[in-house]
Amino acid sequence: MRKKFLSAVSVFMATVMLAGCGAKTNNEVQTTAASTQTTDAQTTAAQAETTIDKKDIKGSVMLYTSSGDDYMTDVIELFAKEYPNIELNYYRSGTEEVVSKILTEQKSSGIQCDVIMLADTPTFEMFKAQNLLLKYDYPEIDKMYEEFVDPDHMYYGTSVASTGIIYNTTMVSEAPSSLTVFTDPSTQGNCVMPSPLYSGTAAYNLGVYTSMDNLGWDFYQAMKDNGMQVVNGNGGVITAVANGEKAYGMVLDTDSFKAIDNGSPIAFVYAEEGCSSICDPIAIVAGTPNEEAAKIFVEFMLSREVREFAAQNYYKTAPRKDVEPVSGILSIDERKILSADPKELYLTKEESKQKFDEMFNK
C-alpha cells in the first residue's frame, strides 16, 4: 500500500510540476514571440536602410587631384552614368601645388574638397599625421594588393605607375637598359626629367633613389653635371622626347604607353635597377559634409569596372588582383619595384626637395 501511495503521490507531484512548467513555458513562448517580432521589425528596418539604392542618393563631391584632364573627363562621364544624382567636380594641378592649396585652405576657411587623389603615398602620410583623412573600410579590400593599401585604411592606391626610361626611336638605335643613361657623357645635354618641386612622381622618385646605396645623391649630382633638363611634369618630358628636343627622358610607364598609342615616336624601358612606383592614392577628407557621396565616389574609383577602364584606355595598372594590365606593361608581380617607407619619405620630403632645388637651380 505504501508503495502504491508513494507512486500516486509521485504522479500527482509530477503532474503539478508539469502543469507549472507548462504555464511557465507558455509565458516564455509569448515573451519570445514578442521579442522575435521586435527583432524582426528592427532587422527589416535595418535592411531597408542598407538596401537603399545608392543611385538614388543625392549630393556632390569636390575632388582635388593631379590626374590628367582627359582621364578626369572620362571619370566624370562614367560616374554620372552610374550615379546621376551626385555631382562630381574637380580641381587639378601638380601634386605639390595641390598640397599647397590644401594646406593653405586648412589654415583659412577650411579644406574645400571632399576627396583627394594625388600621386604618392608620402603625401598622404603627411595628411594622416595632420589628421586630415577619414578612415574608410573598402568592402573589396581583399581583392587589392596589400602594399597599395594603407594599414590604417585612410587611403588606397587607385593605379600603379612605374618610372622608367623613354627614348626617341628616330634618334636612338639601341634601347638603354639602365638609369646610368642619364649620367653617361655620350648623352650629355640630351636628357630630361620632371621636377620634384612640381611633380609628386618626381618627388617620390627623389626620395626613393637618394635612399639607395647604388644611386643616392651622387646620381642626381651626376645627372645635373650631365646637363639634365628639368621640366614641370611627366607630360613635359613626353613632349620634349617625342618632339626630338631630347633623346632620353625619365618618366612614368602610363604616360609613355599612352603617347605611344597616340603615335609618338618613343619607346619605354623598365630600368634594370628597378622602378620607383607610385599608386595615385585616394582618400576622403575628415569632416567633409558630403561623407556619404565621398565614400560612394571612392568605392567607384576602386571598383573592378573602373580599374579595367583605366587600364585599357590609360594604361593605368590596377592595384587589384583581378584586373590584368594591357599588353606591353609588366604586371605588378613582374616588376622589380623599388620601395621605401612612406613615413620616412614624408619626414625627409621637404628637406630633399630643398636640396634638389639648391643643386639644380642655384
Side-chain angles (χ1 to χ4, degrees):
M1 290 290 295
R2 180 176 176 80
K3 196 171 192 181
K4 289 182 179 179
F5 174 75
L6 289 174
S7 296
V9 170
S10 298
V11 170
F12 173 77
M13 292 299 292
T15 303
V16 170
M17 290 175 67
L18 284 171
C21 289
K24 185 176 180 182
T25 301
N26 287 336
N27 288 335
E28 288 177 343
V29 168
Q30 292 172 359
T31 302
T32 303
S35 175
T36 301
Q37 290 174 355
T38 302
T39 303
D40 289 343
Q42 292 173 340
T43 301
T44 302
Q47 289 175 341
E49 288 184 13
T50 57
T51 55
I52 293 175
D53 191 340
K54 290 181 179 179
K55 292 185 179 181
D56 294 332
I57 294 175
K58 298 181 180 180
S60 63
V61 174
M62 181 63 185
L63 170 70
Y64 284 3
T65 184
S66 58
S67 296
D69 285 312
D70 53 347
Y71 175 55
M72 287 310 308
T73 298
D74 283 343
V75 165
I76 287 176
E77 183 177 344
L78 290 172
F79 188 73
K81 290 179 180 178
E82 191 74 16
Y83 301 99
N85 296 317
I86 300 177
E87 182 181 3
L88 174 62
N89 296 294
Y90 76 96
Y91 164 83
R92 82 154 305 276
S93 188
T95 290
E96 301 307 304
E97 289 190 359
V98 175
V99 171
S100 178
K101 179 177 175 64
I102 290 172
L103 297 181
T104 298
E105 291 179 350
Q106 179 195 15
K107 295 175 182 178
S108 55
S109 58
I111 300 174
Q112 300 301 301
C113 66
D114 307 297
V115 179
I116 306 169
M117 185 171 68
L118 300 173
D120 62 293
T121 52
T123 293
F124 286 78
E125 286 298 325
M126 181 266 288
F127 290 149
K128 275 178 61 176
Q130 297 192 25
N131 299 315
L132 299 183
L133 305 181
L134 178 72
K135 180 180 179 181
Y136 168 64
D137 297 321
Y138 176 51
E140 295 187 337
I141 193 172
D142 60 312
K143 293 181 171 60
M144 298 188 68
Y145 284 96
E146 184 179 352
E147 57 264 44
F148 304 114
V149 173
D150 171 44
D152 298 319
H153 296 185
M154 297 291 190
Y155 61 84
Y156 298 83
T158 59
S159 60
V160 182
S162 296
T163 292
I165 308 163
I166 59 168
Y167 61 96
N168 185 299
T169 53
T170 65
M171 300 171 66
V172 178
S173 57
E174 184 177 352
S177 60
S178 168
L179 293 174
T180 56
V181 69
F182 300 123
T183 61
D184 192 318
S186 66
T187 67
Q188 187 169 16
N190 219 4
C191 304
V192 59
M193 66 176 286
S195 171
L197 306 180
Y198 175 86
S199 164
T201 301
Y204 184 74
N205 292 344
L206 181 67
V208 171
Y209 292 153
T210 56
S211 68
M212 296 173 59
D213 292 336
N214 62 328
L215 294 174
W217 280 104
D218 288 344
F219 173 58
Y220 278 83
Q221 184 61 59
M223 287 195 292
K224 168 66 166 57
D225 295 341
N226 205 45
M228 170 69 80
Q229 181 184 10
V230 179
V231 296
N232 270 354
N234 289 280
V237 175
I238 296 286
T239 298
V241 176
N243 290 346
E245 299 169 29
K246 303 293 179 182
Y248 304 92
M250 180 187 293
V251 74
L252 290 172
D253 54 358
T254 51
D255 298 323
S256 303
F257 281 96
K258 183 64 177 176
I260 293 169
D261 186 46
N262 288 333
S264 293
I266 61 173
F268 179 88
V269 176
Y270 290 98
E272 62 187 22
E273 290 90 348
C275 44
S276 172
S277 301
I278 57 170
C279 63
D280 285 1
I282 192 169
I284 300 170
V285 176
T288 170
N290 302 305
E291 181 177 324
E292 189 174 27
K295 287 180 178 178
I296 289 174
F297 176 65
V298 169
E299 187 172 326
F300 168 82
M301 288 301 295
L302 297 175
S303 69
R304 179 178 180 177
E305 292 75 16
V306 173
R307 298 310 354 133
E308 285 181 337
F309 173 84
Q312 294 167 7
N313 293 276
Y314 289 93
Y315 299 94
K316 293 179 180 290
T317 302
R320 293 179 60 109
K321 302 170 186 176
D322 55 358
V323 178
E324 294 293 327
V326 296
S327 178
I329 293 186
L330 295 181
S331 69
I332 290 174
D333 292 331
E334 293 173 323
R335 300 182 198 186
K336 180 182 177 181
I337 294 180
L338 303 175
S339 60
D341 183 353
K343 292 182 180 179
E344 184 64 29
L345 293 181
Y346 147 61
L347 293 173
T348 60
K349 183 177 180 178
E350 293 306 315
E351 180 182 347
S352 295
K353 286 166 56 180
Q354 182 178 352
K355 186 172 181 178
F356 176 91
D357 189 23
E358 293 173 352
M359 178 180 290
F360 278 80
N361 300 320
K362 297 178 181 179

